[in-house]
């Protein structure tokens, strides 16, 4: 089954060079297009990779390996001790209490009710030893110690999602981090607008009316991003959506009737966006 999946995945991978296909997880850097969705979920390339990754068993941490070895050792000692206690108790009852006399031992065994009682008692003692040998407080103690260590790491601004990872985290010399999404959120957020005169405005609503409408016109008509039905900004690139997020909601939904003749969308290489527009008479007068 795994071989079939791998062959299927390899067949899909050959299509990565197709300039007319886009795959789940791909980042659209520039331009506009209409996309036809052919596969979703586990049928996508990412979905098949996730399905194969989920079939692999997770490797046990060093702490889990040590605890498993400790549990095996404790259980072995418990079984050996229980056997020794049971045999010792029976030896005492059958041999020592009868003065090491064969005749007395045969008489004792002939009384099967008493002999059976002592055998059952020895089994009960063996079971008690096995139960007592199990360290019931060990999991709780380990959980408490790991929780305390997690709090120490948290004070050092290191968040460990799995407690079992703390034991290995103590052996780290160098920690490599993916900056986007770990240290930062990977999302642009405009903080202020500075006019040509050096005046700073923290929000779009705080700007003068003329400047506010001019900024809204420039940002709305020189981008492919737009306001979605759920109120979120969709389309365009990250810079487009970030700039539009600075505008007030009323400016985003305002349809001024401006017609875009031609436009140059923003690109990191060009460092600008531009648009040629035709303004309605009412907007041109304003």
């Amino acid at each position: 089954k795994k071989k079939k999946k791998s062959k299927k995945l390899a067949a899909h991978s050959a299509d990565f060079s197709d300039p007319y296909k886009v795959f789940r997880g791909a980042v659209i850097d520039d331009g506009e297009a209409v996309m036809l969705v052919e596969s979703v979920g586990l049928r996508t390339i990412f979905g098949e990779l996730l399905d194969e990754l989920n079939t692999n068993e997770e490797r046990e941490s060093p702490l889990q390996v040590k605890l498993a070895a400790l549990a095996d050792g404790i259980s072995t000692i418990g079984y050996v001790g229980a056997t020794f206690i049971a045999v010792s108790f029976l030896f005492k009852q059958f041999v020592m209490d009868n003065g090491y006399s064969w005749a007395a031992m045969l008489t004792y065994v002939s009384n099967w009710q008493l002999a059976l009682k002592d055998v059952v008692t020895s089994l009960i003692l063996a079971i008690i030893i096995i139960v007592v040998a199990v360290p019931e407080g060990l999991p709780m103690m380990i959980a408490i110690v790991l929780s305390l260590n997690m709090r120490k790491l948290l004070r050092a601004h290191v968040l460990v999602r799995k407690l079992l990872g703390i034991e290995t985290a103590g052996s780290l010399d160098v920690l490599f981090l993916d900056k986007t999404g770990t240290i930062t959120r990977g999302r642009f957020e405009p903080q202020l607008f500075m006019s040509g005169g050096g005046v700073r405005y923290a929000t779009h609503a705080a700007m003068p009316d003329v400047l506010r409408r001019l900024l809204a016109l420039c940002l709305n008509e020189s981008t492919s991003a737009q306001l979605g039905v759920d109120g979120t900004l969709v389309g365009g690139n990250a810079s487009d959506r970030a700039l539009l997020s600075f505008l007030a909601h009323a400016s985003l939904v305002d349809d001024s009737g401006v017609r875009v003749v031609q436009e140059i969308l923003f690109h990191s290489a060009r460092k600008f966006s531009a648009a040629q527009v035709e303004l309605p008479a009412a907007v041109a007068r304003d």
Side-chain angles (χ1 to χ4, degrees), residues 145-163:
V145 172
L146 292 178
S147 299
L148 293 175
N149 290 333
M150 184 183 70
R151 294 178 62 182
K152 290 182 179 179
L153 289 174
L154 191 59
R155 285 196 292 268
H157 305 290
V158 177
L159 177 60
V160 181
R161 293 189 297 175
K162 294 184 179 180
L163 289 179

Side-chain angles (χ1 to χ4, degrees), residues 15-21:
D15 296 331
F16 280 142
S17 60
D18 193 336
Y20 300 103
K21 285 191 175 182

Side-chain angles (χ1 to χ4, degrees), residues 88-104:
S88 300
F89 178 79
L90 291 177
F91 181 79
K92 173 183 177 298
Q93 295 296 110
F94 280 76
V95 179
M96 296 178 64
D97 289 354
N98 291 306
Y100 300 94
S101 171
W102 284 106

Side-chain angles (χ1 to χ4, degrees), residues 76-279:
T76 301
I77 294 174
Y79 290 136
V80 172
T83 304
F84 179 77
I85 291 296
V87 172
S88 300
F89 178 79
L90 291 177
F91 181 79
K92 173 183 177 298
Q93 295 296 110
F94 280 76
V95 179
M96 296 178 64
D97 289 354
N98 291 306
Y100 300 94
S101 171
W102 284 106
M105 283 188 283
L106 291 175
T107 302
Y108 175 80
V109 173
S110 63
N111 187 3
W112 64 271
Q113 294 92 344
L114 181 60
L116 180 62
K117 176 184 176 182
D118 290 338
V119 171
V120 172
T121 303
S122 67
L123 292 176
I124 293 175
L125 289 175
I127 294 174
I128 291 175
I129 295 300
I130 294 174
V131 173
V132 171
V134 176
E136 297 178 352
L138 181 61
M140 180 180 66
M141 180 190 68
I142 292 175
I144 293 175
V145 172
L146 292 178
S147 299
L148 293 175
N149 290 333
M150 184 183 70
R151 294 178 62 182
K152 290 182 179 179
L153 289 174
L154 191 59
R155 285 196 292 268
H157 305 290
V158 177
L159 177 60
V160 181
R161 293 189 297 175
K162 294 184 179 180
L163 289 179
L164 292 175
I166 294 177
E167 188 262 344
T168 53
S171 303
L172 291 176
D173 293 326
V174 180
L175 179 62
F176 293 93
L177 295 177
D178 178 15
K179 179 182 71 64
T180 304
T182 306
I183 301 177
T184 64
R185 289 185 294 178
R187 186 172 68 247
F188 297 147
E189 291 184 358
Q191 299 297 315
L192 58 89
F193 176 85
M194 181 181 292
S195 66
V199 181
R200 300 187 178 189
Y201 303 97
T203 62
H204 185 234
M207 300 169 61
D209 181 63
V210 176
L211 184 58
R212 183 173 65 250
R213 286 186 294 165
L214 181 60
L215 178 63
L217 175 64
C218 294
L219 295 182
N220 277 324
E221 307 305 332
S222 63
T223 178
S224 58
Q226 56 185 336
L227 193 65
V229 293
D230 58 350
T232 60
L233 292 170
V234 295
N237 55 33
S239 299
D240 291 332
R241 294 190 296 272
L243 293 173
L244 286 182
S245 66
F246 185 77
L247 300 180
H249 185 269
S251 298
L252 292 173
V253 299
D254 182 26
D255 185 9
S256 57
V258 177
R259 189 176 74 87
V260 179
V261 178
Q262 56 183 348
E263 62 179 344
I264 301 175
L265 297 177
F266 179 84
H267 191 273
S268 57
R270 290 190 293 264
K271 305 293 191 231
F272 75 92
S273 62
Q276 180 182 353
V277 298
E278 290 184 358
L279 301 178

